[in-house]
Amino acid sequence: MPSRPTAAIILAAGRSTRMVTDMPKVLHEVCGRPMLAYVVDACRAAGVQRIIAVVGYQKEQVIQAFANEPDIIWVEQTEQKGTGHAAMVCREALADFDGNVVVIAGDMPLLRSETLQLLVDTHKKQNCAVTLATAVLANPTGYGRIVRDEYGNLQGIVEESDCTDEQRRITEINPSYYCFDKGLLLSALDQLKPDNVKGEYYITDALHILVQQGHRVVAITAVKAEEAVGVNSRMQLADAGRIMQNRIQSNLMQNGVTIVDPPNTWIDIRAVIGQDSVIYPFSYIHGRVRIGKRCSIGPFAYLREGTVLEDDVVVGVFTELKNSTLGPGTRARHLSYIGDAHIGHRVNVGAGTIFSNFDGRQIQQAVVGDDVYIGNGAILVAPLAVSSGRQIAHGAVVRDGGPQNEGGAT
Ligand code: UD1
Ligand code: CA
């Protein structure tokens, strides 16, 4: 039997009062990417064929941020009347779809595609109406609690604000990973009522409705505590960032990168670092940065968007790079700013060298050839080209483009 396709509804319309922000919550970044990007990627990696994202509050900004991902179907929820209501507005986007529908919150950057995959597989194997993946947390405060009967069968999910004292002590929570049969999801949504403390339509009530109607509803305790973090506040944003940073660094270390002091190093999820490179403490690597093999970075290095380091490059203490390439074997060991420069092989960038890339009106580029020696404290004023093999005196101010006019060069 051919496998039924899977669609995903990602809930991302909320305004998030708890974040205290003018931005859409799902655009807040975790290790360099918006939260929503992680959720979208996890859905894709888990084999979801149709991705529907529900947007509302500042929807233009959200859609704009994903302009390069035209396969996402955007659905507007004009008024945020709850997670169940957000799923209801997707009816049309699912009209020509037959299969299973994953419903998932957009504020869960830590979810893993493996967990989603397990959810979908279990749902298919056990032929469920709805399958839910749960987590057990030492501190369940703020999450919906999983209520089971004495045999362990799922009864429903109760929001913290609707919990009895006894229910509040339940430590099994709803991280909001669900997989529904499409037809049963739509019929359950039709029956939702906003009869709770907040007066909202809750997607969680759809499970209770299906249980009541005798459908097969299965809850698997499959979500690790860290994957359950939903980001509702700046504190949780920081928690998610820390956990994601650990993942990024573990991944790099497994691939042969030495990180001398992990808690005091920050590396963007988009960075790529080659084997046997060493990252010394207090280094901050932000944006799409590519580092080759056997490089030495830091301590206290700041690598920004568009930095490319070929193999065997040394970037040392208090050195900042942006939108620049350093060729193999090039060294910038101390106190430099290198912006918008393309530097060749085996160049010595002396202590305190500054690439002066902004003339007050626009950003200018510098090109430096191979085997150039730049003395300490030189200022290279872009636009500028320095030909291979040249030496630049200590303290020189090098102006004007063209190798024929390297003021201060010796
Ligand atoms: C929700 C769950 C709760 C679960 C928790 C996990 C419900 C009722 N509760 O609570 O059981 O433990 O997630 O993190 O589902 N959204 C919309 N439209 C709306 C309302 C919300 O798109 O009208 C979006 C939000 O932008 C957010 C997501 O849905 O991305 C979840 O909403 P949120 O308010 O964060 O729900 P929680 O209170 O965290
Ligand atoms: Ca949430």
Side-chain angles (χ1 to χ4, degrees):
M1 192 179 77
S3 175
R4 302 184 79 205
T6 309
I9 296 177
I10 303 176
L11 309 178
R15 139 145 229 184
S16 187
T17 39
R18 289 169 282 184
M19 286 285 279
V20 192
T21 178
D22 287 333
M23 266 169 67
K25 173 166 76 171
V26 293
L27 291 191
H28 282 266
E29 288 187 356
V30 171
C31 294
R33 297 187 77 206
M35 280 190 238
L36 181 58
Y38 291 95
V39 180
V40 169
D41 282 1
C43 288
R44 287 212 180 96
V48 169
Q49 287 96 340
R50 180 181 303 206
I51 296 178
I52 301 166
V54 185
V55 285
Y57 180 67
Q58 301 205 335
K59 68 173 174 27
E60 294 80 12
Q61 269 196 55
V62 183
I63 295 171
Q64 179 56 36
F66 290 81
N68 293 333
E69 303 185 39
D71 60 321
I72 301 175
I73 299 167
W74 301 99
V75 171
E76 184 179 4
Q77 183 194 23
T78 43
E79 252 186 294
Q80 281 76 61
K81 297 195 228 165
T83 50
H85 181 258
M88 287 176 199
V89 299
C90 296
R91 186 177 289 275
E92 212 175 295
L94 287 170
D96 61 341
F97 179 84
D98 184 28
N100 297 312
V101 180
V102 167
V103 179
I104 199 149
D107 63 355
M108 298 191 305
L110 297 165
L111 88 169
R112 286 178 191 270
S113 59
E114 294 86 341
T115 310
L116 266 188
Q117 184 81 64
L118 179 70
L119 174 71
V120 174
D121 290 349
T122 307
H123 180 82
K124 286 180 181 166
K125 260 190 225 128
Q126 300 203 18
N127 207 8
C128 304
V130 54
T131 310
L132 159 75
T134 70
V136 175
L137 300 188
N139 176 11
T141 308
Y143 292 92
R145 307 297 205 280
I146 304 298
V147 180
R148 294 181 187 260
D149 66 14
E150 67 254 48
Y151 307 106
N153 299 316
L154 183 86
Q155 294 293 288
I157 303 170
V158 184
E159 290 307 296
E160 168 118 345
S161 48
D162 297 303
C163 276
T164 62
D165 287 345
E166 198 185 326
Q167 286 170 333
R168 208 163 282 128
R169 284 193 289 272
I170 297 173
T171 54
E172 185 178 18
I173 62 101
N174 167 34
S176 81
Y177 296 59
Y178 326 89
C179 186
F180 287 88
D181 169 80
K182 179 204 151 183
L184 293 171
L185 169 66
L186 294 185
S187 92
L189 290 177
D190 280 340
Q191 298 162 62
L192 289 186
K193 291 195 186 67
D195 51 1
N196 48 61
V197 170
K198 290 195 181 158
E200 293 185 349
Y201 295 91
Y202 287 164
I203 186 75
T204 46
D205 288 345
L207 283 86
H208 181 69
I209 290 169
L210 294 173
V211 170
Q212 291 288 299
Q213 295 174 344
H215 290 288
R216 184 161 171 74
V217 177
V218 168
I220 49 169
T221 315
V223 182
K224 292 195 194 109
E226 62 156 60
E227 282 181 83
V229 175
V231 176
N232 296 326
S233 67
R234 305 271 179 170
M235 281 75 83
Q236 285 169 326
L237 183 67
D239 287 345
R242 200 164 8 82
I243 295 165
M244 187 61 74
Q245 190 53 224
N246 279 337
R247 285 192 196 167
I248 292 167
Q249 295 191 15
S250 305
N251 197 26
L252 287 167
M253 291 190 273
Q254 270 157 16
N255 287 302
V257 175
T258 293
I259 300 172
V260 174
D261 186 5
N264 291 307
T265 302
W266 193 96
I267 303 173
D268 197 298
I269 185 130
R270 296 165 295 176
V272 178
I273 307 181
Q275 190 184 312
D276 289 318
S277 284
V278 180
I279 315 296
Y280 290 95
F282 305 103
S283 293
Y284 186 74
I285 299 174
H286 183 261
R288 276 166 289 258
V289 168
R290 196 155 57 74
I291 299 174
K293 292 184 176 174
R294 300 174 300 277
C295 291
S296 172
I297 308 300
F300 297 98
Y302 180 23
L303 308 186
R304 293 165 52 199
E305 180 66 30
T307 296
V308 176
L309 309 181
E310 307 281 1
D311 297 342
D312 304 296
V313 164
V314 180
V315 171
V317 66
F318 297 117
T319 292
E320 173 179 348
L321 279 105
K322 183 212 81 176
N323 195 27
S324 291
T325 302
L326 304 194
T330 285
R331 301 163 311 275
R333 290 185 191 276
H334 331 270
L335 303 161
S336 289
Y337 172 62
I338 303 175
D340 303 281
H342 191 93
I343 301 179
H345 299 212
R346 298 171 302 275
V347 170
N348 179 78
V349 179
T353 296
I354 302 294
F355 280 77
S356 188
N357 59 332
F358 183 58
D359 61 11
R361 288 186 309 278
Q362 51 182 330
I363 295 287
Q364 302 284 2
Q365 315 284 325
V367 179
V368 176
D370 298 337
D371 301 299
V372 171
Y373 176 88
I374 304 173
N376 297 329
I379 297 182
L380 286 80
V381 184
L384 174 82
V386 177
S387 50
S388 291
R390 304 299 297 248
Q391 297 204 356
I392 291 175
H394 300 298
V397 178
V398 187
R399 288 185 186 279
D400 209 354
Q404 64 284 66
N405 189 14
E406 287 164 25
T410 55

